[in-house]
Amino acid sequence: MNTFEKIYEVVKQIPRGYVATYGQIAELAGNRHWSRVVGYALHSNPQPGVIPCHRVVTKDGDVSRAFAFGGQSRQIELLKDEGVEFVDGHVDMENINGQSVYSKPLN
DNA sequence: AACCTGACTCGCC
DNA sequence: AGGCGAGCCAGGT
C-alpha cells in the first residue's frame, strides 16, 4: 500500500462531526512528516464523495486556503452542518465533543 | 530524467 | 517571539 492509499484510508475514517489535522493524519498514516503529502494527496482527491477532505484542517483549525471544492467558506459550512463547532472562522480546536479536536482512535 | 513546487508541521536560531 | 530550514511523496514542466 503506497503512501496515498494509507492517507486516504485514514481520512475516510474520520467520523462525522469531527475534524482531523494534517499532522494527525500524517502521523496515523505512518510518519508525521507526511503532513505535506497529506495535503497533496487530498488535492488529487481521486475519489470525491468518498474522501471527506473537508474534514481535514490545519493544526490551527483553519481550513486550507487553497481548498478547491467551493472555497473555504463552503468547507466550513459543510463542517458546521455536521456539528463541528466553529469559532472566529476556524474550528474550535478545544471544544469538539468535549474532547480536543479529533482525538478519536483512528484505526 | 531531473528539478521545482505544493491543501503542512515542528524544531532551531 | 518570529523567521527559516528540513522531511515526506507525487505530478507537472
Side-chain angles (χ1 to χ4, degrees), chain A residues 10-65:
Chain A
V10 176
V11 177
K12 284 193 297 187
Q13 288 170 60
I14 301 174
R16 179 177 173 287
Y18 284 84
V19 294
T21 65
Y22 289 96
Q24 180 107 51
I25 295 169
E27 188 173 0
L28 289 171
N31 303 314
R32 71 164 228 266
H33 295 120
W34 290 357
S35 52
R36 205 187 209 176
V37 185
V38 172
Y40 201 71
L42 294 178
H43 181 172
S44 297
N45 194 10
Q47 297 163 24
V50 178
I51 302 172
C53 43
H54 61 277
R55 294 189 190 138
V56 185
V57 298
T58 66
K59 66 185 181 72
D60 298 316
D62 284 323
V63 301
S64 218
R65 60 184 181 285

Side-chain angles (χ1 to χ4, degrees), chain A residues 19 54 57 61-63 72 75-81 83-92:
Chain A
V19 294
H54 61 277
V57 298
D62 284 323
V63 301
Q72 297 96 311
Q75 181 175 4
I76 294 175
E77 288 303 313
L78 288 171
L79 292 175
K80 276 179 160 182
D81 191 53
V84 178
E85 294 296 318
F86 269 81
V87 176
D88 191 39
H90 65 74
V91 178
D92 188 346

